[in-house]
Amino acid sequence: MSDAATLSAADLASRYARGTLSPREVTRACLDRIARLEPVLNAMAVVDAEGAMGAAAESERRWWAGRPLSPLDGVPATVKDLLNLAGHPTRRGSRATDPQPVADDSPAVVGLKAAGVVILGKTTTTEFGWKSPGDCPLHGITRNPWNTRLTPGGSSSGAGAAAAAGYGPLHIGTDAGGSIRIPASWCGIVGVKPSFGRVPQWPLGAFAQVAVAGPMTRTVEDAALMLAVMSRFDWRDPFCLPDPVPGWLDRWQNGVAGLQVAVVRRLGFHPPADEGALAAVERAARALEDAGAIVTEADPSLPDTRALFTAVWGQALKRLVDSFPEEKRALLDPPLVAMAQRTEPMDAESFLAVQAAVIETAHAMAAFHRRYDLVLCPAVPEPALPADATLIAPEEDLWQRWAPWTFTFNLSRQPAVAVPVGLDAAGRPRGVQVAAALYRDDLALAAARVIEQACAAPTLAPLG
């Protein structure tokens, strides 16, 4: 039964339908695995064993009656602690937040629950999702299942670690500059940053203009199944898209034959990438070519997205820190406070200039996708960093070590998927990123699926 926690959502649905495995058995296996591995990994902010077992029992009755709510009915999942889960506090990794339980679920959680998904609890996040090293003042350090001396990345640190450790198959992350794709890459799993507005969110956080919620899973198929049920209109989110038309994601299963793929090495600046990152892109490019795609190198000729995102990120964090009274700022992550203090306020003219350049970036990427169906590039510049490293210069780390390959696609609001290609000689996961035009989440998933099949990278860390 210990292996049941590590099965994919698609496999669980098949076994539930045949009656060879039950939601309660799987949920118990997940909870047992969490209890065994949490002292080492520290990926969970909250474990709701009672609620999960109750939801699993209800799901089991539906399967027995032949009336499951969806193929994901009874499949275990976790929720990042930037999102609301009714009956539990939303602490956002911070000692300065309200410890009282919230009354309502976030929209993405509503979508999962409507599909019958069993929520195991909440995963850790960096404080307010501000950085990529996976630690926060409230919960401490979350560690990478592949090597506990390394960080899983962030800000969806707990979700990345939980997925790679086999804490069930489905995990909700959020991504404002790479916070799904960075931990997905460093933990060797699949991470989907959907098109902006595809998955509704409420309440909106510090990065409302660029942030999304999305799936973190061990297979592309599970990510597609999860994205489909999360993409429901919710009136609370003013940026939310209408309900998608039936079959909107079906293209993800059809391969990439005939599609034009651009291997991109510039995003308005030269993002750094080590030899392993470049080798991963070359391997993924060969996989796409072998599947019939036309792969060439191209430059989308963007503004300096490094400068743009640094401004967006810095101003959002300064506003966040300044929103707390002085006595509560002492409870915040010291590097966050120090960075906010270093950030100069932006006048209205400068703010509008940044916004205009962000729109120019989105326009340039839209024009680029009139020629190219997909973009292929690294997801991160190097493998996972040490978990216990002291953070000294986050402004430089942002574009040198954390998110130089990811934040551009938040500015352009288009879908991007991180997918693993294998392990390096040191046993660290390596991956790539594929992006598609705005609202073509299906194409990004299709390319990720081809790479996944060709590379057959291990996605479950060997923790026993």
Side-chain angles (χ1 to χ4, degrees):
M1 281 309 304
S2 62
D3 291 338
T6 66
L7 296 174
S8 72
D11 196 359
L12 289 177
S14 175
R15 296 184 187 217
Y16 291 165
R18 297 197 309 269
T20 58
L21 202 56
S22 76
R24 280 193 294 180
E25 290 172 326
V26 173
T27 300
R28 174 47 60 197
C30 290
L31 293 170
D32 288 347
R33 191 171 180 86
I34 290 169
R36 179 159 53 88
L37 298 179
E38 264 304 275
V40 175
L41 298 180
N42 190 35
M44 300 296 294
V46 172
V47 178
D48 184 8
E50 182 179 353
M53 289 305 297
E58 293 176 6
S59 172
E60 196 164 303
R61 286 191 286 271
R62 291 191 293 268
W63 279 104
W64 285 343
R67 293 195 296 269
L69 297 176
S70 79
L72 295 181
D73 201 336
V75 175
T78 68
V79 177
K80 182 180 179 180
D81 193 28
L82 289 185
L83 302 180
N84 285 351
L85 178 62
H88 301 281
T90 303
R91 299 302 306 273
R92 300 180 175 88
S94 180
R95 295 177 296 173
T97 51
D98 189 350
Q100 295 303 309
V102 299
D104 300 314
D105 291 317
S106 286
V109 179
V110 171
L112 290 188
K113 285 186 175 180
V117 169
V118 173
I119 307 299
L120 299 170
K122 306 190 78 175
T123 51
T124 58
T125 175
T126 67
E127 189 169 37
F128 298 103
W130 86 276
K131 64 179 182 180
S132 290
D135 64 89
C136 67
L138 184 63
H139 298 295
I141 297 174
T142 299
R143 298 187 178 275
N144 194 314
W146 291 95
N147 182 338
T148 56
R149 294 190 299 274
L150 303 177
T151 179
S155 64
S156 304
S157 46
Y167 289 12
L170 307 178
H171 308 271
I172 302 179
T174 66
D175 190 314
S179 289
I180 285 174
R181 291 160 290 158
I182 295 167
S185 298
W186 285 349
C187 291
I189 61 167
V190 176
V192 179
K193 185 201 86 67
S195 294
F196 184 83
R198 177 71 72 195
V199 176
Q201 299 185 90
W202 192 261
L204 300 178
F207 306 99
Q209 301 296 322
V210 294
V212 299
M216 299 178 71
T217 63
R218 290 192 302 278
T219 72
V220 173
E221 181 177 16
D222 282 1
L225 291 169
M226 190 177 180
L227 181 59
V229 302
M230 293 168 68
S231 301
R232 296 159 49 107
F233 174 78
D234 192 298
W235 67 268
R236 293 174 288 177
D237 183 351
F239 302 126
C240 179
L241 297 173
D243 282 338
V245 299
W248 68 283
L249 265 185
D250 288 351
R251 178 67 177 78
W252 77 269
Q253 303 179 72
N254 295 346
V256 296
L259 297 185
Q260 297 282 343
V261 179
V263 175
V264 170
R265 302 188 186 278
R266 270 187 60 86
L267 292 169
F269 70 107
H270 283 289
D274 70 3
E275 291 184 4
L278 298 178
V281 170
E282 291 176 5
R283 185 176 181 189
R286 288 194 300 271
L288 295 171
E289 278 189 319
D290 290 345
I294 300 95
V295 181
T296 55
E297 288 198 21
D299 183 350
S301 300
L302 302 177
D304 186 351
T305 58
R306 170 185 52 186
L308 291 179
F309 190 81
T310 299
V312 171
W313 181 65
Q315 292 299 316
L317 293 177
K318 180 174 182 58
R319 179 174 179 268
L320 171 69
V321 171
D322 289 350
S323 71
F324 285 94
E326 194 67 40
E327 63 272 15
K328 280 204 168 185
R329 290 180 202 174
L331 300 174
L332 299 175
D333 198 355
L336 168 60
V337 175
M339 199 197 78
Q341 291 171 341
R342 290 193 297 269
T343 302
E344 293 293 329
M346 187 178 290
D347 61 32
E349 183 177 358
S350 299
F351 173 79
L352 290 174
V354 168
Q355 293 303 307
V358 169
I359 294 171
E360 181 185 342
T361 299
H363 173 77
M365 286 304 305
F368 191 66
H369 280 291
R370 290 174 63 83
R371 173 69 178 84
Y372 298 99
D373 300 291
L374 295 160
V375 165
L376 174 66
C377 63
V380 287
E382 58 185 308
L385 304 172
D388 302 282
T390 300
L391 185 55
I392 298 173
E395 297 95 332
E396 295 179 9
D397 286 340
L398 173 70
W399 65 268
Q400 290 182 341
R401 311 194 74 183
W402 302 346
W405 292 101
T406 52
F407 55 59
T408 295
F409 303 115
N410 294 85
L411 297 175
S412 63
R413 300 185 173 185
Q414 65 195 93
V417 181
V419 58
V421 301
L423 306 177
D424 64 15
R428 300 168 300 189
R430 304 307 299 254
V432 297
Q433 179 178 214
V434 286
L438 188 64
Y439 308 135
R440 293 311 308 267
D441 307 67
D442 56 332
L443 291 186
L445 287 165
R449 176 62 170 151
V450 167
I451 295 167
E452 174 187 60
Q453 291 180 318
C455 296
T459 57
L460 184 68
L463 290 169

